[in-house]
Each structure stands twice: as C-alpha cells, then as structure tokens.
Amino acid sequence: DAKTTQPNSMESNEEEPVHLPCNHSTISGTDYIHWYRQLPSQGPEYVIHGLTSNVNNRMASLAIAEDRKSSTLILHRATLRDAAVYYCILRDPFESGSARQLTFGSGTQLTVLP
Amino acid sequence: EAGVAQSPRYKIIEKRQSVAFWCNPISGHATLYWYQQILGQGPKLLIQFQNNGVVDDSQLPKDRFSAERLKGVDSTLKIQPAKLEDSAVYLCASSLNSGAYPYTFGSGTRLTVV
C-alpha cells in the first residue's frame, strides 16, 4: 500500500484558514487522494478526494502538488466544529480486492482555538 | 438520506462474556464494512461484505469474532468470548459498491470490557 505521512497535531485559530499537509512520495499514477475527518465521538466522515487537479467542495479545498507527492487540505475559515482528526488516505479504485479498501493511519489532530 | 445506523451506542461487559453489535447501512449500499478503532489509533478494517457474501475477513480474529449479513442489508458483529483488549469503538460503514467512494460511517458502538 502507498503510505502517507501527516503531522500528529496542528493548531489553528478560529476564523483563520488551516492548511493540513500530507506527504505521499510513493503514490502511484492511479492512486486517488482521499481525506476523511473524525469529530469527537463520531465515525469518520468524507471530506474530499482528488486525483491530479485541485478540488473544491462546500467543506474544503484539496491542493495537489504537480508531482503528486504531497497534498494539502485547506479549510478556508476554521470553526470550533472543525476540531477533529483528519486522515489522508491513498486508494486505487482500479486495484482488486482488499487494495481498494480505506486504510486509516493515525491522522492529524486539529485543535481550533477560540 | 438516512445515515448508517448502529446500536447499541455503548456497551460494558465482563471479560469472557459475549456481545453483539448491529448495523443498518444506507439503503441501496451493497458493500458493508466493520472497523475496530482502539483509543488513539485510526480505524482498522475487520471485515468487508458485498451483499451477503464476505469479500475480506483476513483481519478478523476468527477464534472469537464472527459477523454476518444474511439478507444483504443489516449486519451483526459478535464477539465471544470477549477479552480486555477488545475494548474499542466498533464502526460500521457502507458504500454503493466495492471500490466505490465515499464510505459513509455510523457513529459506532463503544465497547468496554472489564
């Protein structure tokens, strides 16, 4: 499995942008980059995913480096509700069997300060 | 649309007792997953179902854990007998199909074995 590296923890001030980094130097050409987050006492929830181009949705933006060896999840204006563990996961939908499954690392614990 | 439903929300049992968790996935989702999340770690996949068949149970401790999805909808995960190290949150997730994204997770069942 292609591996991702994320900082254990990050802090942000409320109403400021947050940039959560993820390194994936062994990414393959068909690996999609997925981000999930897990709020306290909840299951993980989908945030965003992308392949090569930057992606935007109502929750966040995903900026993917040109060489695809790193990506950044951007929360444009952090709120207290965004305090969660953020997971960056690589998955290849063209792989067979268990290789398609979401495999979670330890993620980044984001703390939002009021 | 309704989310993934799990029950119970919390369970405390003594070691060597048995316990069962129930999951109702999103309507129409063919693929169902059970994850185990130990405190401070990311979720770890235990078993994946496609309709009522098992796709992958390679990480399920089969001497004590069992799971079924008899009619291809609801699923039950059982532990018998429980050990102290089984204390964790058990998360159920579903997706439209195998290899499809995103996964939708339930809120989980927090199991404490004493």
Side-chain angles (χ1 to χ4, degrees), chain A residues 36 38 41 91 100-102, chain B residues 9 35 37 48 98 101:
Chain A
Y36 282 72
Q38 188 170 21
S41 300
R91 269 304 129 209
R100 294 187 191 182
Q101 295 157 354
L102 284 181
Chain B
R9 192 78 172 88
Y35 283 80
Q37 186 171 25
Q48 176 185 344
S98 177
Y101 304 103

Side-chain angles (χ1 to χ4, degrees), chain B residues 6-17:
Chain B
Q6 289 190 247
S7 67
R9 192 78 172 88
Y10 304 94
K11 190 75 178 179
I12 301 175
I13 62 171
E14 294 183 349
K15 59 184 179 186
R16 291 187 290 274
Q17 285 188 325

